Amino acid sequence: ALALAINRQEIIENITQARQLPATALIPPSMWSLNDGFFIDGDVESARVLFNLALEEMKITREELPPLTLTYNTVTDHHKIAQAIQQQWKDAFGIQIELRNKEWKVFLDELNHKQFQIARMGCVAAFNDPISFLDQYRYGNTSNNYPGWVDAKYTAILEKADQVADPEARLLLL
């Protein structure tokens, strides 16, 4: 819900102003022509449905939602983006988000020790292949997998893709 409610295009137009493409998938569209995005940018309507469903599943009201904190490293644009996201989540869900900035080394240390709720991070591909972005989540203990997310099916698909010689079949797996 939180990811859906972010209007990335608005952030690009009003803050970064560098004509980027909104990131609506893990793989950037500039790298992978099959990637039409995983969700619609700034889809507040769907976000609200999912947010309310999450509250129901947790058996809490919006007022009982624990405080949420968005952590980012100290860079002027990151602060502006965090403020924009904070306002977008307030507008979409009526919730307050605490912003917390950290110097880069402290920020990375906290990410590595999983001392965050929501954190800003970017990723640059080492080479022009979707695996550059996907591989960081192959295992829960990968160095850049800061949340420690792991899924056996996801890992199995990546391992299968490693064994496929046909580039098109491999791309479909990825």
Side-chain angles (χ1 to χ4, degrees):
L2 295 173
L4 289 179
I6 298 171
N7 187 326
R8 292 154 185 80
Q9 187 63 46
E10 184 178 283
I11 291 169
I12 291 166
E13 290 172 4
N14 297 310
I15 300 171
T16 64
Q17 298 179 346
R19 296 189 221 174
Q20 300 101 326
L21 297 172
T24 57
L26 189 56
I27 308 301
S30 61
M31 178 181 285
W32 195 8
S33 63
L34 296 177
N35 186 348
D36 293 330
F38 186 66
F39 54 86
I40 298 168
D41 183 39
D43 187 359
V44 174
E45 186 176 317
S46 296
R48 285 181 180 144
V49 169
L50 292 174
F51 185 80
N52 290 328
L53 180 61
L55 292 175
E56 281 179 37
E57 288 179 6
M58 292 186 293
K59 296 179 175 43
I60 62 172
T61 65
R62 184 180 326 272
E63 294 74 29
E64 296 169 320
L65 182 70
L68 297 176
T69 302
L70 171 58
T71 305
Y72 58 96
N73 58 299
T74 305
V75 172
T76 301
D77 277 353
H78 295 170
H79 178 70
K80 291 177 183 177
I81 292 167
Q83 288 178 312
I85 292 170
Q86 178 186 47
Q87 187 62 51
Q88 290 174 2
W89 287 344
K90 183 177 182 180
D91 293 345
F93 310 118
I95 58 174
Q96 297 294 324
I97 304 295
E98 179 185 340
L99 300 181
R100 187 175 297 156
N101 77 329
K102 304 284 181 168
E103 293 301 321
W104 181 246
K105 288 182 180 182
V106 174
F107 178 71
L108 282 182
D109 186 60
E110 289 187 4
L111 290 182
N112 283 319
H113 290 93
K114 302 183 183 3
Q115 298 172 329
F116 66 94
Q117 286 183 317
I118 305 165
R120 179 223 79 84
M121 184 47 83
C123 183
V124 177
F127 48 92
N128 191 23
D129 190 291
I131 200 69
S132 294
F133 292 96
L134 300 172
D135 208 37
Q136 65 187 328
Y137 300 106
R138 184 184 299 240
Y139 307 110
N141 62 354
T142 305
S143 63
N144 289 341
N145 185 352
Y146 297 112
W149 180 83
V150 66
D151 181 85
K153 184 176 178 183
Y154 179 87
T155 300
I157 292 169
L158 291 185
E159 289 175 355
K160 184 175 180 181
D162 288 345
Q163 305 303 314
V164 174
D166 176 46
E168 288 183 30
R170 178 182 173 271
L171 191 60
L172 286 174
L173 283 168
L174 296 176

